[in-house]
Amino acid sequence: MFIGREKELTSLSNLYHKDGFGMTVIYGRRRIGKSTLISEFIKDKKAIFYTATKVGKDRNLELFSKRVAAVLDPTLMNVSFPTLESIFDFISHKLDSEKLILVIDELPYWAEKDEALLSVLQKYIDTEWIARNMMIILCGSALSFMEIKVLSEKSPLFGRRDSQIKLEAFSYKESALFVPDYSFEDKAICYGITGGVAKYLSMITPEISLDENIKKLYFHTDGYLYDEARNLLTQEFTDVTLVNNVLEQLASGVNTVNTIAQKIGENLSTILYSLDKLIRIGLVQKKKCITEEKNKKKVQYVLKDHMFKFWYAFIPNATSVIEMGQGDLYYDKIVQPNLHAFMGSVFEDMCRTFTLEQGIQGAFGNFMTNVGTWWGTETLYSTSGKYQQSADIDVVGISDIDKTVVLGECKFKNEKTDKNVYDILLRRSAAINAKYRVIKYLFFSLSGYTEWVQSVNHDDIILLTLDDLYRSDLRS
């Protein structure tokens, strides 16, 4: 069953129904659902769908020829086309009133071994296809290749595309559609352990419990996600050991370049290069303090991909146990009791998404334009005097229109949020940049609130539960 991607399907449909020629570029990390999206779109349409492989220029040419012939003239299945131009000439000859869709999936696998491919495509677009009833979809997982070689001004194809789609992971709400009968708590954890990646979500079996799914996917040697992090890194990096060391540091909470370099004994430029590539492929995020985004010193690097967070939190230490066939026991004894702790940062991410979504709709009394986090220091007082300590605020939603701000605190725990959490958020609000006026305090809690917190009667306090995050409109 195909789930979600309505916006992307609409974009593709609009291009398809445009008169004449059209081209779009679809790119995104592996397993994100690009091929599935294209397959859904071309259903019941005349389409040549070719997926390139790492077999070299000549073999891709041969396989592409067979795919073209299979669609346009099956009697020529065994005919050999000597050049790319001869295949494109054949396609041009077969174009008629019915729009033809030409899809080249995993384009970088072919184009990296055939430098002329993109230039030949450009020539045929300009001279043969621009006035014909045809649509081209170019797709790839190698983000840097797609951005530099296909989308940039240096590309032979620059100026030929009508649109591009960078396919992202599913949101927590979209991810929930894969497990409609799960509780909201299990839906959230399902999002956390898959990161909203389409392929991983499709591996969840809704008929069995979430615990059994996690064991099956991660804690058995034949589990799809047991080696997934290592496999992805091997496909993207030549020096996997270095990148693995960087990711281990990020997963453990080390988030500055200097500290990472010191911990693993590498120079700063090497670490920055690795981090930049990890950012490009969507695994790492360069996070800035939302009220000080121009402060270059106030930057943190964090793991963005939730599946990688889960993998690095639990799998490396469990490898020996899993290899001995005792992964289920490890999960029961070590992982399951710590799932809520792991979900803390995932829940914060969900709450920021929810806050921006609702803030854009005006649910908090302003038009929100940005959501992020704040960290810094706060001043406290004791009997021995004044002192400072580090502090952070999980959710900071800003309206740059009227200079107002919404602050939030998130707790994914099996205990009710109490007065202490309330007091801390209100106290830390004083540390926010003075140019913003606080208009709402949001509290997000998995397990609800104590009687004291529920008794607080202030219009600027909003108490939310996990259930609220799955509602379409907070005001309904």
Side-chain angles (χ1 to χ4, degrees):
M1 181 175 64
F2 186 82
I3 294 175
R5 305 301 192 195
E6 288 86 0
K7 181 178 69 174
E8 290 83 1
L9 285 173
T10 298
S11 174
L12 291 170
S13 181
N14 289 341
L15 183 57
Y16 178 78
H17 288 103
K18 186 191 93 166
D19 290 339
F21 178 82
M23 186 179 91
T24 191
V25 176
I26 300 176
Y27 65 115
R29 58 161 286 186
R30 288 175 174 81
R31 322 285 198 257
I32 211 72
K34 302 180 296 298
S35 300
T36 304
L37 168 66
I38 296 170
S39 296
E40 177 69 16
F41 169 67
I42 65 174
K43 277 182 180 177
D44 306 319
K45 297 181 179 70
K46 185 179 180 181
I48 300 166
F49 192 144
Y50 176 66
T51 302
T53 53
K54 293 182 177 181
V55 292
K57 170 185 172 181
D58 294 338
R59 181 60 173 159
N60 270 306
L61 185 64
E62 179 185 351
L63 294 173
F64 179 61
S65 300
K66 291 182 180 298
R67 191 76 205 112
V68 170
V71 174
L72 299 183
D73 191 343
T75 64
L76 299 177
M77 279 288 289
N78 296 318
V79 173
S80 176
F81 289 89
T83 65
L84 187 60
E85 285 89 343
S86 63
I87 303 174
F88 285 170
D89 284 336
F90 178 70
I91 291 173
S92 301
H93 179 70
K94 291 291 184 178
L95 290 175
D96 54 28
S97 59
E98 182 182 4
K99 178 159 284 188
L100 173 69
I101 304 173
L102 172 60
V103 180
I104 302 179
D105 195 6
E106 295 300 355
L107 174 71
Y109 289 162
W110 186 355
E112 284 175 342
K113 300 298 182 181
D114 185 354
E115 295 181 358
L117 174 59
L118 300 183
S119 296
V120 175
L121 258 176
Q122 175 247 311
K123 182 182 77 171
Y124 274 81
I125 289 170
D126 291 349
T127 62
E128 298 287 337
W129 299 336
I130 194 65
R132 306 295 294 275
N133 205 19
M134 184 178 181
M135 177 178 176
I136 293 178
I137 300 175
L138 303 179
C139 181
S141 302
L143 272 67
S144 56
F145 183 96
M146 296 300 290
E147 290 173 347
I148 296 170
K149 300 291 187 179
V150 180
L151 294 170
S152 77
E153 292 183 10
K154 297 178 181 179
S155 169
L157 297 174
F158 183 74
R160 275 79 182 174
R161 73 183 185 276
D162 294 86
S163 63
Q164 71 274 338
I165 297 172
K166 185 178 183 182
L167 208 60
E168 302 285 1
F170 285 112
S171 70
Y172 72 90
K173 285 184 180 178
E174 293 168 327
S175 298
L177 299 175
F178 287 80
V179 285
D181 296 328
Y182 275 12
S183 67
F184 286 132
E185 181 176 347
D186 282 354
K187 286 176 179 178
I189 295 172
C190 184
Y191 169 69
I193 62 110
T194 63
V197 173
K199 179 63 177 180
Y200 309 152
L201 285 165
S202 72
M203 304 295 290
I204 299 288
T205 305
E207 292 76 25
I208 63 176
S209 71
L210 180 59
D211 287 331
E212 293 304 313
N213 270 299
I214 298 175
K215 291 175 184 178
K216 178 189 72 171
L217 291 172
Y218 279 100
F219 294 92
H220 296 173
T221 54
D222 62 347
Y224 188 86
L225 297 176
Y226 172 59
D227 262 333
E228 180 67 356
R230 280 187 287 256
N231 291 339
L232 284 175
L233 293 180
T234 301
Q235 292 169 10
E236 294 288 348
F237 295 92
T238 53
D239 189 348
V240 176
T241 301
L242 170 63
V243 176
N244 182 67
N245 290 338
V246 171
L247 289 171
E248 283 184 342
Q249 293 302 319
L250 293 175
S252 69
V254 177
N255 53 33
T256 64
V257 177
N258 286 333
T259 310
I260 294 171
Q262 291 169 8
K263 290 275 187 180
I264 64 177
E266 289 285 352
N267 60 57
L268 293 179
S269 60
T270 301
I271 300 301
L272 280 170
Y273 178 82
S274 297
L275 287 170
D276 285 344
K277 185 160 185 182
L278 286 165
I279 290 169
R280 285 201 305 273
I281 64 175
L283 299 183
V284 170
Q285 177 184 7
K286 185 177 181 181
K287 191 167 73 170
K288 299 179 181 179
C289 179
I290 191 168
T291 58
E292 302 175 53
E293 291 193 335
K294 294 182 179 179
N295 185 347
K296 294 182 179 179
K297 294 182 179 180
K298 210 163 185 180
V299 170
Q300 295 179 349
Y301 291 88
V302 297
L303 264 175
K304 178 183 178 183
D305 186 285
H306 297 314
M307 186 281 287
F308 267 72
K309 287 181 188 176
F310 184 85
W311 196 93
Y312 275 97
F314 298 112
I315 299 303
N317 291 333
T319 301
S320 296
V321 180
I322 296 171
E323 295 287 344
M324 291 177 65
Q326 297 298 317
D328 287 5
L329 182 62
Y330 186 92
Y331 177 81
D332 291 335
K333 296 289 187 181
I334 305 296
V335 181
Q336 212 284 333
N338 289 290
L339 262 184
H340 281 178
F342 160 75
M343 280 296 296
S345 63
V346 179
F347 187 51
E348 290 172 12
D349 177 61
M350 292 168 59
C351 294
R352 284 189 285 270
T353 298
F354 171 85
T355 300
L356 181 59
E357 178 186 87
Q358 297 296 322
I360 290 171
Q361 298 174 22
F364 307 121
N366 64 358
F367 181 76
M368 201 170 290
T369 53
N370 195 14
V371 170
T373 58
W374 174 90
W375 66 91
T377 57
E378 61 175 340
T379 302
L380 299 177
Y381 298 88
S382 68
T383 54
S384 58
K386 182 171 68 171
Y387 66 97
Q388 288 190 325
Q389 69 176 19
S390 59
D392 63 82
I393 299 176
D394 298 335
V395 179
V396 181
I398 286 174
S399 171
D400 283 316
I401 296 172
D402 58 8
K403 303 302 179 185
T404 57
V405 66
V406 171
L407 306 180
E409 187 71 17
C410 315
K411 298 297 176 186
F412 200 90
K413 296 181 176 181
N414 278 329
E415 59 187 44
K416 293 184 177 181
T417 296
D418 60 12
K419 181 179 183 296
N420 181 55
V421 176
Y422 172 90
D423 290 340
I424 288 174
L425 180 59
L426 267 66
R427 184 183 74 225
R428 289 180 178 173
S429 67
I432 290 293
N433 195 314
K435 71 178 181 180
Y436 295 106
R437 177 172 57 89
V438 181
I439 58 170
K440 295 289 181 186
Y441 296 92
L442 311 181
F443 293 89
F444 300 89
S445 176
L446 171 66
S447 302
Y449 302 88
T450 61
E451 289 186 10
W452 187 93
V453 176
Q454 292 184 66
S455 69
V456 175
N457 187 20
H458 292 299
D459 291 338
D460 57 354
I461 304 295
I462 299 178
L463 306 181
L464 299 158
T465 65
L466 180 61
D467 294 17
D468 291 314
L469 267 65
Y470 287 93
R471 287 164 55 185
S472 59
D473 190 343
L474 186 61
R475 296 166 297 180
S476 62

